Amino acid sequence: MALAQLKAKYVGSILGIAWAVINPLLIASVITFVFSHIFRIEIKNFSLFVLSGIFPWMFFSCALSEATFSILNQQSILHQFNVPREVLPLASVLSNFLNFLIGWVVILPLFLFFKPEIILFLPLLVFVLLLILVFTCGLSLIFSVLNVFLRDLGNLLGVLLMFWLWVTPVFYSIEMIPRRFQWVTRFNPLTPYIVSCRAVLVEGRVPSFLLWTQILLWAFVSLMMGLLIFSRLESRILKRI
């Protein structure tokens, strides 16, 4: 199902799967121009700094958005076939993850060109990306099943993701935030994932023990909560669609 969704996403597109790379690059280019030339933010290799954050963010936001509507958009499958209901949101997440990996494979040489030593830390990046996947799967299970019973959730999701983006250090570092507001970013579950990716790709170092603890904890909590909430509500899904 994930492969079918990935193929369907680019049906009729001239550039096809290349959009997996083009979209993040275009967004990163615009953000780099605005923050470097208008706001005059001085961060070394700012384009790479933004790319290291925008790629995982785009995977998370696109996967969560599609998974939230997956049950409602594919309800005919549940009526016609006896399949585990959690397959629908998880297939949406996996489809976006495959899209995400294709983009990484193409863009990774750019990071290696500017900082060749990061090749030593790439195995750590794999673990970080897998934990982002687990975290997103858990949250997608929650949002997809809640959207069946609370249809307003889907309408609010766009605003929620926009707010979430700006309180996540995608375009800035934690050190740039005024001290009295840093607690907002530090309690943001996506922050350790973004900072860990940046530590490997931009700084060429191993993420700290605290970061590993946080990303493992958030992934575990998200998945357990997702499975718990989905299992409690899945028996009532067919009555509401």
Side-chain angles (χ1 to χ4, degrees):
M1 289 183 66
L3 289 172
Q5 289 182 27
L6 181 61
K7 293 176 182 178
K9 185 177 295 186
Y10 298 108
V11 169
S13 172
I14 296 176
L15 296 177
I17 199 67
W19 284 109
V21 181
I22 295 173
N23 273 333
L25 285 178
L26 288 176
I27 294 174
S29 299
V30 172
I31 294 299
T32 299
F33 174 78
V34 171
F35 279 77
S36 297
H37 295 85
I38 297 178
F39 293 112
R40 302 289 182 177
I41 290 180
E42 296 183 2
I43 295 180
K44 186 179 180 181
N45 294 327
F46 188 66
S47 296
L48 298 182
F49 181 90
V50 173
L51 278 173
S52 65
I54 201 66
F55 260 89
W57 167 261
M58 287 193 67
F59 156 66
F60 170 76
S61 61
C62 291
L64 185 60
S65 297
E66 291 184 17
T68 297
F69 292 94
S70 60
I71 295 178
L72 294 178
N73 290 342
Q74 303 179 73
Q75 54 185 282
S76 59
I77 294 178
L78 297 181
H79 285 296
Q80 296 176 26
F81 305 100
N82 184 21
V83 297
R85 294 164 179 82
E86 60 271 20
V87 163
L88 299 182
L90 293 180
S92 294
V93 175
L94 289 176
S95 172
N96 279 278
F97 191 67
L98 293 173
N99 192 60
F100 170 61
L101 290 181
I102 292 170
W104 266 127
V105 169
V106 175
I107 205 67
L108 195 56
L110 184 61
F111 288 94
L112 290 169
F113 176 79
F114 285 96
K115 208 171 186 66
E117 61 268 29
I118 69 171
I119 195 171
L120 300 174
F121 305 103
L122 291 184
L124 297 177
L125 181 64
V126 174
F127 285 107
V128 175
L129 299 184
L130 288 176
L131 289 172
I132 294 176
L133 172 62
V134 174
F135 172 77
T136 306
C137 283
L139 211 58
S140 295
L141 287 173
I142 297 173
F143 274 64
S144 64
V145 73
L146 289 182
N147 193 46
V148 173
F149 301 92
L150 303 171
R151 304 295 173 93
D152 292 332
L153 178 63
N155 297 321
L156 291 172
L157 184 59
V159 177
L160 172 62
L161 287 174
M162 183 182 297
F163 173 77
W164 202 339
L165 170 63
W166 289 107
V167 296
T168 303
V170 174
F171 313 127
Y172 54 85
S173 64
I174 296 178
E175 292 73 24
M176 295 169 62
I177 307 172
R179 187 175 297 275
R180 66 181 184 277
F181 296 122
Q182 286 189 5
W183 65 271
V184 178
T185 303
R186 295 188 186 279
F187 278 101
N188 180 349
L190 276 180
T191 295
Y193 295 103
I194 300 296
V195 174
S196 296
C197 286
R198 191 164 287 151
V200 173
L201 292 169
V202 179
E203 301 171 19
R205 64 176 178 86
V206 178
S208 66
F209 177 78
L210 178 60
L211 284 174
W212 282 114
T213 303
Q214 289 175 324
I215 62 179
L216 281 166
L217 182 61
W218 278 118
F220 176 78
V221 171
S222 174
L223 186 60
M224 291 301 102
M225 290 297 296
L227 292 172
L228 177 62
I229 294 174
F230 200 94
S231 64
R232 291 287 182 88
L233 297 176
E234 68 171 335
S235 61
R236 297 158 51 192
I237 288 177
L238 289 178
K239 298 178 182 179
R240 299 296 298 266
I241 59 178

